């Protein structure tokens, strides 16, 4: 049998390091912006509509419509709805950096409007369940441990279990009637949406970290087994998060000191490009509140000052 206590200790150690580093890191906002996309992509795969972080970046930066929406795939629901639920799961937790990065994301692509446009039926179908999952998983926990969170997840799964929809009745050309097999919607991804906030509610994390959503596709009934999976997942994701934070901080440190005025928007544009690679000039103009011509000039200035190290800037 696996030693879950040691894996839990390792997970808590790495999670604590990541939490502590993010408190004072100059790259915390960039890291959180990227973690949201990583978490949303993980949730999409969990829900059976696999997309990559790059797919989401293309959508957010205005290069494509929502991923998979026109590919003729029999997806259980729209990625636009899932992205909205994923982002909304951590929006009410008061962290100013997280709030600022969410506002930037919604200035690029408002997930609420996109969900209303592309997936209104999914909002109606899953909205009440999403809110119930939030209420159940963010309620106070008696003990700060992975086991208590695991037990709550298993209990919430039972509460959220959606009955199968009635199968469609079809009449064949010769008069026979056939009923198509009913569809049952999996709700595990709804629980995973709220896992970052549940870890905060249980006292295991300082803030919701949106990449900590990689639960097993089928939740086990044994709390110890689920707690072991959570510990392994959190240790892996926190470790990767620390590596990514190191990379972002090194990237910022390598950029030259910009000879610009205090009012210049060049430093902000550099940070935006690191968070959302491939920003087009239209998106830059909207984010920074400048004209398209001003965005073009600013892109040229930043590329000159950084010696082309942000080569994808304003490419579209």
């Amino acid at each position: 049998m696996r030693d879950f206590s040691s894996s839990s200790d390792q997970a808590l150690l790495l999670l604590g390091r990541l939490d502590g580093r993010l408190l004072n890191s100059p790259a915390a906002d960039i890291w959180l912006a990227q973690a949201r996309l990583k978490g949303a992509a993980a949730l999409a795969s969990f829900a059976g509509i696999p997309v990559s972080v790059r797919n989401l970046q293309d959508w957010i930066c205005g290069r494509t419509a929502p991923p998979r929406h026109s590919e003729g795939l029999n997806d259980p629901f729209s990625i636009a709805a899932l992205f909205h639920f994923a982002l909304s799961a951590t929006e009410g937790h008061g962290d100013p950096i997280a709030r600022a990065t969410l506002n930037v994301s919604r200035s690029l692509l408002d997930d609420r409007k996109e969900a209303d446009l592309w997936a209104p039926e999914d909002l109606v179908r899953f909205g009440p369940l999403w809110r119930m999952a939030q209420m159940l998983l963010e309620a106070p926990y008696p003990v700060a441990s992975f086991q208590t969170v695991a037990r709550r997840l298993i209990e919430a799964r039972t509460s959220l279990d959606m009955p199968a929809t009635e199968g469609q009745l079809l009449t064949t050309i010769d008069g026979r009637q056939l009923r198509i097999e009913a569809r049952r919607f999996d709700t595990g991804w709804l629980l995973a949406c709220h896992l970052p906030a549940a870890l905060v509610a249980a006292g295991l994390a300082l803030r919701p970290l949106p990449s900590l959503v990689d639960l097993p596709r089928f939740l086990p009934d044994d709390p110890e087994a689920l707690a072991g999976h959570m510990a392994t997942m959190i240790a892996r994701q926190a470790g990767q998060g620390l590596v990514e934070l190191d990379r972002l901080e090194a990237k910022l440190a390598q950029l030259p000191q910009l000879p610009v005025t205090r009012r210049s928007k060049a430093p902000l544009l550099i940070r935006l490009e690191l968070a959302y690679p491939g920003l087009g000039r239209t998106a830059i103009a909207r984010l920074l509140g400048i004209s398209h011509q001003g965005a073009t000039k600013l892109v040229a200035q930043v590329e000159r000052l950084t010696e082309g190290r942000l080569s994808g800037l304003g490419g579209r």
Side-chain angles (χ1 to χ4, degrees), residues 27-38 53 56-58 60-61 63 100-102 104-105 108 244 247-248 251-252 267-279 287 310 313:
D29 56 336
I30 302 171
W31 188 93
L32 282 168
Q34 294 185 351
R36 280 198 184 91
L37 301 188
K38 182 178 179 181
V53 171
L56 296 175
Q57 287 175 338
D58 287 342
I60 288 172
C61 292
R63 293 188 287 272
T101 58
L102 181 58
V104 169
S105 174
L108 278 171
E244 181 63 15
R247 187 191 71 80
L248 291 172
K251 185 79 171 178
L252 289 174
L268 177 56
L269 178 55
I270 290 174
R271 301 183 73 84
L272 288 171
E273 172 62 17
L274 288 173
Y276 303 102
L279 284 174
L287 280 171
L310 298 175
L313 191 58

Side-chain angles (χ1 to χ4, degrees), residues 51-52 111 137 196 273 290 316:
V51 297
S52 67
D111 55 283
L137 294 181
E273 172 62 17
I290 58 180
R316 294 176 184 266

